[in-house]
Amino acid sequence: PHHTISPVALVGGGANPMPGEISLAHNGVLFLDEFPEFSRSVLEVMRQPLEDRTISISRARYSIEYPAGFMLVASMNPCPCGYYNHPTRQCLCQPGAVDRYLNRISGPLLDRIDIQVEILPVDFDEMQSGRPGESSETIRQRVVSARKVQEERFSDCKGVHCNAQMTSRLLSTHVRPTPEAMKILRDTMIRLNMSARAYDRILKVSRTIADLAGSPDILPEHMREAVSYRALDRSGWGKY
């Protein structure tokens, strides 16, 4: 959807109730480009569906519930001019503009995004290096294997099929990092003053990383990688 979309078009409803974009993306991907350009009201209505995987709409004439089990993928520039933290170009934004731009996305909404990654520009020589990477087929096999592990893990849990759907109770049962890995998480939580929701998200991601690596245990390297995927939790994140 374009960033000028209305809250009703995103969540559904209207005079003649119709599902919105988040329900049309059920069991698929909802991609929001130029994330901070969406209105605050549009972004905030996604908080409840991201948590509950359903969207409830109550109006004077009707009350309806739509499915909303979607994967949210969003992209954004680091600042209005696009050059904040660029290795070769200078940011042209006025003082405070970067903070105002990033503050368009609320902390509670960021908390619900499992993986936050900063992508730096790739220079010409690196693009032309021709270094081979993993094939899509190899990656797919690893993902399928991890999914099978998760299906077996949650075979007795109705409505739960993957790590992302774990409740807090299931987290305490199925996610038990090694003492060294838990120390990494503890130190990070204290240093960055992270929320309880971020704690749950990091544990889920670390469990998935371990599944992709074929490891029954969550090791320190899995926890470090999971923690590194919380870029926007860091104060002054664009400077690192």
Side-chain angles (χ1 to χ4, degrees), residues 3 10-11 13 16-17 42 63 65 74 82 110 120 151 155 210 222 224:
H3 59 78
L10 187 71
V11 303
N16 298 313
V42 167
S63 180
E65 184 175 281
L110 281 178
L120 297 177
E151 288 177 4
S155 58
H222 304 144
R224 289 191 191 96

Side-chain angles (χ1 to χ4, degrees), residues 9 32 44 52 57 64 104 110 132 137 151 171 176 231 233:
L32 302 183
E44 293 304 297
D52 301 336
I57 302 170
I64 194 167
R104 295 180 186 178
L110 281 178
E137 180 59 29
E151 288 177 4
L171 271 175
R176 294 182 178 177
D233 285 331

Side-chain angles (χ1 to χ4, degrees), residues 193-214:
N193 194 26
M194 289 181 171
S195 67
R197 184 175 285 111
Y199 171 85
D200 286 354
R201 304 280 171 167
I202 292 172
L203 286 178
K204 292 177 184 179
V205 171
S206 66
R207 179 65 269 174
T208 300
I209 293 169
D211 289 342
L212 289 168

Side-chain angles (χ1 to χ4, degrees), residues 68-84:
F70 62 96
M71 179 185 293
L72 174 64
V73 179
S75 66
M76 58 184 285
N77 289 313
C79 67
C81 79
Y83 294 120
Y84 181 63

Side-chain angles (χ1 to χ4, degrees), residues 11-120:
V11 303
N16 298 313
M18 295 285 289
E21 292 291 337
I22 61 174
S23 295
L24 296 175
H26 181 63
N27 287 335
V29 175
L30 178 67
F31 176 54
L32 302 183
D33 195 14
E34 301 294 346
F35 202 36
E37 301 299 337
F38 287 80
S39 71
R40 188 67 174 254
S41 59
V42 167
L43 295 178
E44 293 304 297
V45 296
M46 288 194 297
R47 286 163 54 177
Q48 178 261 329
L50 283 170
E51 201 77 27
D52 301 336
R53 296 180 178 271
T54 60
I55 178 70
S56 300
I57 302 170
S58 297
R59 299 291 184 266
R61 293 189 300 160
Y62 63 85
S63 180
I64 194 167
E65 184 175 281
Y66 290 121
F70 62 96
M71 179 185 293
L72 174 64
V73 179
S75 66
M76 58 184 285
N77 289 313
C79 67
C81 79
Y83 294 120
Y84 181 63
N85 201 39
H86 196 284
T88 59
R89 302 190 63 168
Q90 183 177 1
C91 177
L92 304 176
C93 297
Q94 297 295 320
V98 177
D99 287 338
R100 288 194 297 271
Y101 185 74
L102 295 177
N103 285 338
R104 295 180 186 178
I105 306 170
S106 69
L109 178 57
L110 281 178
D111 257 357
R112 289 168 168 83
I113 298 177
D114 296 0
I115 298 176
Q116 308 159 8
V117 180
E118 180 185 8
I119 300 179
L120 297 177

